[in-house]
Coordinates of all heavy atoms in Angstrom, one line a residue:
G1 N 2.0 8.8 5.2 CA 2.4 7.9 4.2 C 3.3 8.5 3.1 O 3.2 9.7 2.9
T2 N 4.1 7.7 2.5 CA 4.9 8.1 1.4 C 4.8 7.0 0.4 O 4.5 5.9 0.6 CB 6.4 8.4 1.7 OG1 7.0 7.2 2.2 CG2 6.6 9.6 2.8
W3 N 5.2 7.4 -1.0 CA 5.1 6.4 -2.0 C 6.1 6.6 -3.0 O 6.5 7.8 -3.3 CB 3.7 6.4 -2.5 CG 3.1 7.6 -2.9 CD1 3.2 8.3 -4.2 CD2 2.4 8.6 -2.1 NE1 2.7 9.6 -4.1 CE2 2.0 9.8 -2.9 CE3 2.0 8.6 -0.7 CZ2 1.4 10.9 -2.3 CZ3 1.3 9.8 -0.2 CH2 1.0 10.8 -1.0
T4 N 6.4 5.6 -3.8 CA 7.3 5.8 -4.9 C 6.6 6.3 -6.1 O 5.4 6.2 -6.4 CB 8.1 4.5 -5.2 OG1 7.1 3.5 -5.5 CG2 8.9 4.1 -4.1
Q5 N 7.3 6.9 -7.1 CA 6.7 7.4 -8.4 C 7.6 6.7 -9.5 O 8.4 7.4 -10.1 CB 6.7 8.9 -8.5 CG 5.9 9.5 -7.3 CD 5.7 10.9 -7.4 OE1 5.3 11.5 -8.6 NE2 5.7 11.7 -6.4
P6 N 7.4 5.5 -9.8 CA 8.2 4.8 -10.7 C 8.1 5.3 -12.2 O 7.0 5.8 -12.6 CB 7.8 3.4 -10.7 CG 6.3 3.5 -10.2 CD 6.3 4.6 -9.3
K7 N 9.2 5.1 -12.9 CA 9.2 5.3 -14.4 C 8.9 4.2 -15.2 O 9.0 4.3 -16.5 CB 10.4 6.2 -14.7 CG 10.6 7.4 -14.1 CD 12.0 8.2 -14.6 CE 13.2 7.6 -14.0 NZ 14.4 8.3 -14.4
G8 N 8.7 3.1 -14.6 CA 8.5 1.9 -15.4 C 8.3 0.7 -14.4 O 8.0 0.9 -13.2
G9 N 8.0 -0.5 -14.9 CA 7.7 -1.6 -14.1 C 6.2 -1.8 -13.9 O 5.4 -1.2 -14.6
Y10 N 5.9 -2.5 -12.8 CA 4.5 -2.8 -12.6 C 4.0 -2.4 -11.2 O 2.8 -2.7 -10.8 CB 4.3 -4.3 -12.8 CG 3.7 -4.7 -14.1 CD1 4.5 -4.4 -15.3 CD2 2.5 -5.2 -14.3 CE1 4.0 -4.8 -16.6 CE2 2.0 -5.5 -15.5 CZ 2.8 -5.2 -16.7 OH 2.2 -5.6 -17.9
F11 N 4.8 -1.7 -10.4 CA 4.3 -1.5 -9.0 C 4.7 -0.2 -8.5 O 5.4 0.6 -9.0 CB 5.0 -2.5 -8.1 CG 4.7 -4.0 -8.5 CD1 5.7 -4.7 -9.3 CD2 3.5 -4.6 -8.2 CE1 5.5 -6.0 -9.6 CE2 3.3 -5.9 -8.7 CZ 4.2 -6.6 -9.3
I12 N 3.8 0.2 -7.5 CA 4.1 1.4 -6.6 C 4.3 0.8 -5.2 O 3.6 0.0 -4.7 CB 3.0 2.4 -6.7 CG1 2.7 2.9 -8.1 CG2 3.2 3.5 -5.7 CD1 1.4 3.8 -8.3
S13 N 5.3 1.4 -4.5 CA 5.6 1.0 -3.2 C 5.1 2.1 -2.2 O 5.5 3.2 -2.3 CB 7.1 0.7 -3.0 OG 7.3 -0.1 -1.8
F14 N 4.1 1.6 -1.2 CA 3.6 2.6 -0.4 C 4.2 2.4 1.0 O 4.2 1.2 1.5 CB 2.1 2.5 -0.3 CG 1.4 3.5 0.4 CD1 1.1 4.7 0.0 CD2 1.1 3.2 1.9 CE1 0.4 5.8 0.8 CE2 0.6 4.3 2.5 CZ 0.1 5.5 2.0
Y15 N 4.5 3.4 1.7 CA 5.0 3.3 3.1 C 4.1 4.0 4.1 O 3.9 5.2 4.1 CB 6.4 3.9 3.3 CG 7.4 3.2 2.4 CD1 7.5 3.6 1.0 CD2 8.2 2.1 2.8 CE1 8.6 3.0 0.2 CE2 9.1 1.5 1.9 CZ 9.3 1.9 0.7 OH 10.2 1.3 -0.1
A16 N 3.3 3.3 4.9 CA 2.4 3.8 5.8 C 3.1 4.1 7.2 O 4.4 3.8 7.3 CB 1.3 2.8 6.2
L17 N 2.5 4.6 8.1 CA 3.1 4.8 9.5 C 3.5 3.4 9.9 O 2.8 2.5 9.7 CB 2.2 5.5 10.4 CG 1.7 6.9 10.1 CD1 0.6 7.5 11.0 CD2 2.8 7.8 10.0
D18 N 4.6 3.5 10.7 CA 5.0 2.2 11.3 C 3.8 1.5 12.1 O 3.2 2.1 12.8 CB 6.2 2.3 12.2 CG 7.5 2.7 11.5 OD1 7.4 2.7 10.2 OD2 8.5 2.8 12.1
G19 N 3.7 0.1 11.9 CA 2.6 -0.6 12.6 C 1.3 -0.5 12.0 O 0.3 -1.1 12.6
C20 N 1.1 0.1 10.7 CA -0.2 0.3 10.2 C -0.4 -0.6 9.0 O -1.6 -0.7 8.6 CB -0.4 1.6 9.8 SG -0.7 2.7 11.3
A21 N 0.5 -1.1 8.3 CA 0.3 -1.8 7.0 C -0.8 -3.0 7.1 O -1.6 -3.0 6.3 CB 1.6 -2.3 6.5
K22 N -0.5 -3.8 8.0 CA -1.5 -5.0 8.2 C -3.0 -4.6 8.4 O -3.9 -5.1 7.8 CB -1.1 -6.0 9.3 CG 0.3 -6.7 9.0 CD 0.5 -7.7 10.1 CE 1.8 -8.4 9.9 NZ 2.2 -9.4 11.1
D23 N -3.1 -3.6 9.2 CA -4.4 -3.1 9.4 C -5.0 -2.4 8.2 O -6.3 -2.5 8.0 CB -4.5 -2.1 10.7 CG -4.3 -2.8 11.9 OD1 -4.5 -3.9 12.0 OD2 -3.9 -2.0 13.0
I24 N -4.2 -1.7 7.5 CA -4.8 -1.1 6.2 C -5.2 -2.1 5.2 O -6.3 -2.0 4.6 CB -3.7 -0.2 5.6 CG1 -3.4 1.0 6.5 CG2 -4.1 0.3 4.2 CD1 -2.2 1.9 6.2
V25 N -4.4 -3.2 5.1 CA -4.7 -4.3 4.1 C -6.0 -4.9 4.5 O -6.8 -5.2 3.8 CB -3.5 -5.2 3.9 CG1 -3.9 -6.5 3.2 CG2 -2.3 -4.6 3.2
K26 N -6.1 -5.2 5.9 CA -7.2 -5.8 6.4 C -8.5 -5.0 6.1 O -9.5 -5.5 5.8 CB -7.1 -6.1 7.8 CG -8.2 -6.8 8.6 CD -8.1 -7.0 10.1 CE -9.2 -7.6 10.7 NZ -9.0 -7.8 12.2
A27 N -8.4 -3.7 6.4 CA -9.6 -2.8 6.2 C -10.0 -2.8 4.7 O -11.2 -2.8 4.5 CB -9.3 -1.4 6.7
C28 N -9.0 -2.7 3.9 CA -9.3 -2.7 2.4 C -10.0 -4.0 2.0 O -11.1 -4.0 1.3 CB -8.0 -2.6 1.6 SG -7.4 -0.9 1.5
K29 N -9.5 -5.2 2.5 CA -10.2 -6.4 2.3 C -11.6 -6.5 2.8 O -12.5 -7.0 2.1 CB -9.3 -7.6 2.8 CG -9.9 -8.9 2.5 CD -8.9 -10.0 3.1 CE -9.5 -11.4 2.7 NZ -8.6 -12.5 3.4
E30 N -11.9 -6.0 4.0 CA -13.2 -6.1 4.5 C -14.2 -5.1 3.7 O -15.4 -5.4 3.7 CB -13.1 -5.6 5.9 CG -12.5 -6.7 6.8 CD -12.3 -6.3 8.3 OE1 -12.7 -5.2 8.6 OE2 -11.9 -7.1 9.1
A31 N -13.6 -4.1 3.0 CA -14.5 -3.3 2.2 C -14.5 -3.6 0.8 O -15.2 -3.0 0.0 CB -13.9 -1.9 2.4
G32 N -13.8 -4.8 0.4 CA -13.9 -5.3 -1.0 C -12.8 -5.0 -1.9 O -12.9 -5.3 -3.1
A33 N -11.6 -4.6 -1.4 CA -10.5 -4.4 -2.2 C -9.2 -5.3 -1.7 O -8.8 -5.2 -0.6 CB -10.0 -3.0 -2.2
I34 N -8.8 -6.2 -2.6 CA -7.7 -7.2 -2.2 C -6.4 -6.5 -2.6 O -6.1 -6.1 -3.8 CB -7.9 -8.5 -2.9 CG1 -9.3 -9.0 -2.6 CG2 -6.8 -9.5 -2.5 CD1 -9.6 -9.3 -1.3
L35 N -5.5 -6.5 -1.7 CA -4.1 -6.0 -1.8 C -3.2 -7.1 -1.6 O -3.6 -8.2 -1.0 CB -3.7 -4.8 -0.9 CG -4.7 -3.6 -1.1 CD1 -4.3 -2.6 0.0 CD2 -4.6 -3.0 -2.4

């Protein structure tokens, strides 16, 4: 994974391995963290 390091604003953008984002978000949700 790679991620941005912003100097302002409200967000960090994370780049997972291709084909993994949906599964990561789903796994987080099932463990109690909403993204």
Side-chain angles (χ1 to χ4, degrees):
T2 59
W3 51 90
T4 58
Q5 301 190 43
K7 293 185 283 184
Y10 262 66
F11 304 100
I12 297 167
S13 197
F14 186 89
Y15 300 87
L17 296 176
D18 290 0
C20 289
K22 288 181 180 177
D23 287 340
I24 291 169
V25 170
K26 180 181 178 182
C28 285
K29 182 178 181 180
E30 290 177 354
I34 305 299
L35 302 175

